[in-house]
Amino acid sequence: MNNLPEFLVWYLAFVFSTTCHEAAHALAAKKGGDNTAYLLGQVTLDPTPHIKREPFGMVLVPILSFQMGMMIGWASTPFDPLWGARYRRRWALMSLAGPLTNFLLAAVALIAIRMLASAGVFHLRGYHGTSIGLVQLPVGQDFSSPLGALALALSALLKLNVLLGVYNLIPVPPLDGAAVVEGFGTRGIQQFYERLRGSQVAQIVGLLVAWLIFPTLYGPVWTAVSGLLYS
C-alpha cells in the first residue's frame, strides 16, 4: 500500500467513529433495560470487542474499500428482540443513539477545524499552501508533519461521521433509521416493518435501495456542513 500513512489516519478515524456509534447503541440499550450488549462488553470505547464481533466489516472491508478511493465498513450491536418488541420507543431511542453520536463527533471535528483556522494554524480556502483534507496548511507543512496528520484526521472525522450519520438514518431495514420510524410509528407502520424484517431478501434489497438513494440524501447535508465550515 503506497499511501500507508494516509490509510492509517483514515482507518483510525473509522474505527474510532464506528466504535463510538456502537458503544452508544449498547449504552442506550442498557439504560433502556436491555443488558445484552453490556454483558458482551460492548459498552466501551475499546474497539476490540466490536472488531471481534464484526472483523469483516471493521477490518477487511475498510482496507479493500480504501483501495477504491473511499472507506466504508460496518459493525453491529446485539440486542434482545423481545425487549425491542415490548419497548418499541426504547428500541427506537437505542437505534437513534448511534447516528446522533456520529453527528456529535462531526460537530466536534468541525468546531476544532474552525477554531484552528481562526488561530491561524490552518487555512480553509484561498491560500497557496498545501491542501490536506478539508484545509490548507502553511507553506512548508505537508502530510508528513504532525500538523498535516492532524488536518487529515479532523477532515476524516468530519467526513466519515456525516456519512455514517446520514446513511444509518435511512429508514430501510436493517439500518437504524428503520427502527426509529418503526418505534415511533403507528401500528400499521410497525406491522409493515415487521414483515420487512422477517424477510432476508427484503433486508438485502433495503441495503441496495439505501446505497442508491444515499447520494441524493447526502449531497444537501454535506452542502450544509460545508457552509458551516467555510462561512
Side-chain angles (χ1 to χ4, degrees):
M1 186 180 293
N2 296 329
N3 49 354
L4 181 60
E6 183 178 358
F7 165 77
L8 290 175
V9 172
W10 272 91
Y11 184 66
L12 288 174
F14 167 79
V15 169
F16 176 71
S17 302
T18 306
T19 297
C20 289
H21 178 108
E22 300 304 331
H25 280 321
L27 179 60
K30 182 177 184 297
K31 294 292 185 181
D34 178 15
N35 287 326
T36 304
Y38 171 73
L39 294 175
L40 291 173
Q42 290 199 290
V43 184
T44 178
L45 294 182
D46 177 0
T48 305
H50 304 285
I51 292 175
K52 285 182 177 179
R53 179 171 171 80
E54 292 285 0
F56 188 75
M58 288 199 70
V59 180
L60 183 59
V61 172
I63 292 174
L64 295 177
S65 62
F66 188 77
Q67 303 305 307
M68 298 182 288
M70 59 192 303
M71 181 162 294
I72 58 174
W74 64 83
S76 64
T77 299
F79 73 98
D80 181 357
L82 296 178
W83 168 83
R86 183 176 182 183
Y87 303 106
R88 291 186 180 275
R89 293 200 173 184
R90 297 183 191 181
W91 177 32
L93 291 172
M94 181 270 284
S95 301
L96 188 60
L100 287 183
T101 297
N102 290 128
F103 289 135
L104 176 61
L105 291 174
V108 170
L110 188 149
I111 292 169
I113 293 173
R114 288 294 302 258
M115 290 179 64
L116 289 169
S118 297
V121 177
F122 295 153
H123 301 274
L124 293 178
R125 58 173 48 179
Y127 187 74
H128 61 280
T130 304
S131 293
I132 299 289
L134 299 170
V135 306
Q136 292 177 301
L137 302 183
V139 175
Q141 299 281 346
D142 56 26
F143 177 70
S144 63
S145 67
L147 186 59
L150 175 62
L152 184 58
L154 289 174
S155 298
L157 279 173
L158 179 53
K159 289 181 176 180
L160 277 171
N161 281 287
V162 172
L163 184 153
L164 288 170
V166 172
Y167 183 76
N168 279 286
L169 280 180
I170 296 175
V172 295
L175 300 180
D176 295 328
V180 174
V181 173
E182 183 178 350
F184 288 106
T186 64
R187 182 55 187 162
I189 290 174
Q190 292 171 355
Q191 290 174 341
F192 172 71
Y193 274 99
E194 284 173 358
R195 289 194 295 271
L196 292 180
R197 290 185 186 281
S199 169
Q200 189 68 36
V201 173
Q203 295 200 43
I204 294 173
V205 171
L207 289 174
L208 293 175
V209 169
W211 186 255
L212 290 173
I213 67 174
F214 172 73
T216 302
L217 300 175
Y218 179 76
V221 175
W222 184 250
T223 297
V225 172
S226 298
L228 292 173
L229 181 63
Y230 295 119
S231 62

